[in-house]
Amino acid sequence: MFYVKTVPALKRASADIHFKWLVLNRAVRCTVTSSSPAQTEHDGVRSRGGSECPGLSGRGGRRREGTAAAAANEISVDFEQTREAYKSKDSLELLRSLVVFKLCSYDFLVDKNKEIMGLAKKILGQKSFDQFMKMTFYGQFVAGEDHNDIKPLIQKNHSFGVGSVLDYSVEEDISQEEAERKEMDSCVSAAEKENIGKDHRERKYQVHKQFSDRRGGVTGARTYFYADEAKCDQHMETFIKCIKASGGSSMDGFSAIKMTALGRPQFLLQLSEVLVKWRRFFTFLASQQGKDGLEALEQRLELTQLQEFMTKLGANGDFYGWFTGRKEDSTGCIDMLDWNSLIDDRTKISDLLVVPNVELGKLEPLLGKFTVEEEQQMKRMLQRVDVLAKHALESGVRLMVDAEQTYFQPAISRLTLEMQRTYNREKPVIFNTYQCYLKEAYDNVTMDVELSRREGWHFAAKLVRGAYMYQERERAKEIGYEDPINPDYESTNRMYHRCLDYVLDEIALNRKANVMVASHNEDTVKHTLTRMNELGLIPTENKVYFGQLLGMCDQISFPLGQAGFPVYKYVPYGPVNEVMPYLSRRAQENRGFMKGAQKERELLWKELKRRLASGELLYKPVY
C-alpha cells in the first residue's frame, strides 16, 4: 500500500552531517498555497502580493517611478575600446593570444593535439616541453601549477577589476578501457549485480558500457572516475586547498567543485532517478485533476481530490491531513515543492530511495537491498560535501558546484540545495549551476527560487549554456529516452535569457537572489546590462556577477570589471603534465569558439597596431 508516516527524529551522528533531510524529522516545508503571499495578475504579469518593491510592476515589470533618476544612473560598457580591454596585458601576451586562438581554429591541429604534444615532448624533453607549454597554450588558459604560483595572476586581474573562480583542473590521464571499467564497477550496486533486471530501474539512470567513458563528447569539463573512498578523500583535500587558496588570494573569490569527485556515482544515479520519479508522479496526479500542460510551479493538487484518487488506488494514509495539519491557513492545495517534502523524512539514506508505483498504488524501494558499505559510502559523500561547505564559509569563499550529466544532475542539484538551505541563511555561500540547454532549465530555476523565497535563504545561481550536449544527445538516442537538450542554439538562447530575466526580476523584488551570468556571448552580456538598468540594479550591490574563462573574452571581462561590475575569470590551475588532459579537451572546445571569434582576433590586432603606432609596443601593465 502507498503509505506515508512521520518518523522519529534522528540523533545527530558523530559525522555531524548538516543536511536536515538526513538528520531531522523536519516539519514538512508545506507552505500550502495560501502560506505564500497571494498571487495576482497585473497587466498579464504575475506579481506576488505584499512583496513588490515600490516602482516595480511585478515579475518582469519595469520601474514606473523615478525613471529620470534611473536613466541618469544607467551604466553602459563599450566592448570596442581595446585600450581598456587589454590594459592588463603586455604586447607579448596579446601576441600569444592571437597565435593560440589561430592554432585552435585548425581542425587538424585540434584533432591530433594529443599526438602532436606527445611528439613535442619526445623531441624537446620534459623540461623544455613544459616551458614551451607555459609560453603558449598552458600560459593562455591555465594560471599556474599550484596555489602559490597562481597568486601573481590573480592579484593582477584583481587590480584591474576581475576576480577569480579557482578550479584545480588536474584530471587522470587514463585509457578508455580503464575509464569504462571504473565506471561500470562504481555505478552498479551489489543488489543489481546479484539480481540483474529485478529492480525498478530506468535505462537512463543505469550505466551503459558504450557511454561509460564520460569524457567522450564533453568539452571543457573535468571528469572524475571513482576509484575508492581514499581517492575521494584526496579530492576533498584538494578542494579544501583550493578554497583556502581562493580565500588567501582575495576577499571575494569563488572555488569550484564537482560532486562526482566526492563519492561513488551509484548514489547520484539512484537519487536522481528517485527525484525524477517523484516529480513525474506529481505531474501524473495533476493530470488526473486536469492540471497538465501548466508550468511546474503553476500545477496545484486539490487535496480532497488527491485523497479520493489515492483511496481508489487502495493507498493508506490521511494525505489531506499530512499536508494541512501543520498549516492553519491551508487552502487545501499543494504544489510541487510541498509534494517533494514527502521524501525528506527518512531514517536512513537508503530509505530516500523509494519510488511511487502508480499501478500498485504504493511506495516501493528502488533497489532490493543495500549493503552496509553502500550505506556508508552514501553517508561519506554527504559528509565530504558538508566539510567543503564549512571550509568555504570559514574562508569567506563562495562555493560553485558545477553541473554534470542529466542522469547525475537531479541528485547534484538536490544536494546543493540542501547546502544552500544550511549555509545561505545570512549570505550567498553556495552557488548551484543551471545548464540552460536543458528543456527543464526554467522549471528548475523557478522552483528553486520559490523554495528559497518561502524558506528565507539566499538563492544563488550560475547560469551556463552547457558542456555535455553531444554526449547527452547521442546517449538519449542510443539508449532510447527523450532528448533532454533544446532542439537548437536559438532555443537555448531563449531559455538562457528566460531564466536570467526571472532571476533578475527576483533580485529586483527580493534582494536575496544572486546570479552569475557565465557566458562569452556578448549579446547576453548586453542583455543583462540593459535589464539591470531597467530594474535599477547597480553593480555595487554584488547581486549580478559575470563570468568568463581565463584566456578568453578579455574584451568583455575587463571592461566590465573596470566599469564596476563584479566579473570573474574561471581560473584553472595545476601541474603542466596533469592539466594536459583538460587542456586537450579545452582545445576541442575552443576550436568551434575560435572559428567564430573573428571579432576578438580583430580587437587583439587593433590593440597591437595601436601600441605600435603610439610607441607603446613595450607597454607593461602597472598595478
Side-chain angles (χ1 to χ4, degrees), residues 28-33 274-287 291 294-303 306 323 333-344 414 417 421 440 443-444 446-448 450-451 454:
V28 175
R29 291 179 301 280
C30 173
T31 51
V32 186
T33 303
V274 166
L275 295 169
V276 169
K277 285 185 174 179
W278 274 91
R279 182 168 172 175
R280 190 183 301 156
F281 190 48
F282 178 89
T283 303
F284 165 76
L285 293 172
S287 70
K291 308 291 178 58
L294 299 175
E295 300 280 3
L297 271 178
E298 302 300 315
Q299 291 183 325
R300 302 284 191 276
L301 293 183
E302 298 285 344
L303 288 177
L306 173 64
F323 286 104
C333 292
I334 62 170
D335 63 11
M336 181 80 77
L337 297 179
D338 303 318
W339 176 259
N340 285 343
S341 67
L342 277 177
I343 64 172
D344 285 349
R414 183 58 183 261
L417 190 71
R421 280 172 154 160
E440 63 180 19
D443 285 345
N444 292 338
T446 56
M447 284 196 294
D448 289 353
E450 176 63 23
L451 186 62
R454 293 181 186 184

Side-chain angles (χ1 to χ4, degrees), residues 60-87:
R62 299 189 178 188
R63 288 188 173 269
R64 296 180 306 211
E65 300 173 2
T67 305
N73 291 323
E74 284 186 1
I75 297 178
S76 62
V77 181
D78 188 349
F79 298 116
E80 305 291 334
Q81 295 298 317
T82 61
R83 184 169 188 168
E84 294 302 310
Y86 300 117
K87 67 189 300 184

